[in-house]
Amino acid sequence: VMRISLIDLFKQVRNTFLIGVVCFMVSCSVKFDHTSPVSVAEYYFTQYSEGNLEEAYNVIADTCKEIVTFDEYVSHVHQYDAVQNNSTVLFTNFVAQPPILDGLEFRRFEVQRLLINQAAKDTSRQIFYCTLCNENGSWKVVWAENIFPVAETLRENGKVRKAEKTYAKILQYDPY
């Protein structure tokens, strides 16, 4: 029968605990492969869901950053995602969509999420789409959401031609 002293047992438990902490910290560090569209999409939505908007904004396509500053992006998120801000994401799944365009510069994903809304104490399921583009070998999120409300307002106010031009601008950035 092998006997272990209390001190030796403590040392083994301590070492196991330290190894576990290091493994946990390494696994939780924010890493993503910018050459993989799925990795970029996962990173973007993780940062977005956790409120790390600066990190999320950093993976938005440079062409889209020409139409939205970081402050405008944050303002839009706070204005249009009030429900999201009170929710915890339980599950996110990315389903690759078949390409509708020739070439390899765009990828589209159906994003399926299950959320718990803290205020309403209820769950909801979201399904929406995310487009990514390849800019110089790095995949980036296409984000032109701030243009859409402008186009809708123009259309609702009877300014159909201006609305069409605004919708056309969205297609410049997101061909889907």
Side-chain angles (χ1 to χ4, degrees), residues 110-143:
E110 179 181 88
V111 182
Q112 305 166 348
R113 294 199 299 189
L114 181 63
L115 304 132
I116 292 183
N117 184 294
Q118 308 300 346
K121 298 184 189 303
D122 195 7
T123 59
S124 64
R125 186 174 143 199
Q126 295 179 335
I127 297 176
F128 54 93
Y129 295 88
C130 172
T131 304
L132 286 90
C133 68
N134 192 319
E135 290 183 340
N136 302 319
S138 294
W139 287 97
K140 302 282 187 126
V141 174
V142 173
W143 196 88

Side-chain angles (χ1 to χ4, degrees), residues 26-47:
V26 168
S27 70
C28 290
S29 63
V30 179
K31 296 178 185 174
F32 72 99
D33 179 4
H34 66 87
T35 63
S36 164
V38 174
S39 180
V40 172
E42 288 173 349
Y43 178 80
Y44 173 80
F45 284 105
T46 298
Q47 298 308 310

Side-chain angles (χ1 to χ4, degrees), residues 52-70:
N52 301 326
L53 299 181
E54 190 168 348
E55 292 297 320
Y57 182 79
N58 286 338
V59 293
I60 289 176
D62 293 338
T63 53
C64 296
K65 288 179 184 176
E66 294 171 5
I67 60 169
V68 63
T69 66
F70 175 68

Side-chain angles (χ1 to χ4, degrees), residues 5 17 26 46-47 51 83 87 92 111 128 139 148 159 163 172 175:
S5 73
F17 175 75
V26 168
T46 298
Q47 298 308 310
V83 172
S87 297
T92 304
V111 182
F128 54 93
W139 287 97
F148 189 77
K159 299 178 180 176
Q172 275 182 275

